[in-house]
């Protein structure tokens, strides 16, 4: 029988930390972060700035996402509750970007 070993999830990279810190700097303090599972790829850390802007950072696991949120000053863990949803401000340009090629129809 194969022995199971517990593997430590990868820590956030310098690039991931820099992206989250830059977001907080550009979009205000405190910013919120919702860590979401996206399957085999890992997790998406959705960032919501104090100004309502949205951003994200892709990480290899939920645990790495949680560690990223904990490591960035002025980034608060959040859930998609009414306060977080109300804090987002999605403009027309972002809606077109999310719609992709269908936006022109």
């Amino acid at each position: 029988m194969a022995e199971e070993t517990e593997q430590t999830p990868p820590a956030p990279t310098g690039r991931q930390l820099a992206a989250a810190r830059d977001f907080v700097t550009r979009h205000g303090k405190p910013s919120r972060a919702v860590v979401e599972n996206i399957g085999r790829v890992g997790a998406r850390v959705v960032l919501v700035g104090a100004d309502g802007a949205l951003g994200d950072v892709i990480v290899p696991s939920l645990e790495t996402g949680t560690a990223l949120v904990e490591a960035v000053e002025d980034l608060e863990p959040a859930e998609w509750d009414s306060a977080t949803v109300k804090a987002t401000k999605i403009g027309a340009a972002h809606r077109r970007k999310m719609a992709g090629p269908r936006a022109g129809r």
Side-chain angles (χ1 to χ4, degrees), residues 28-67:
K29 302 172 185 177
S31 291
R32 300 168 188 236
V34 180
V35 181
E36 302 175 322
N37 183 4
I38 56 173
R40 292 182 192 174
V41 175
R44 177 181 183 212
V45 181
V46 181
L47 306 169
V48 180
D51 64 356
L54 288 172
D56 64 358
V57 178
I58 304 299
V59 294
S61 70
L62 290 170
E63 294 82 5
T64 304
T66 301

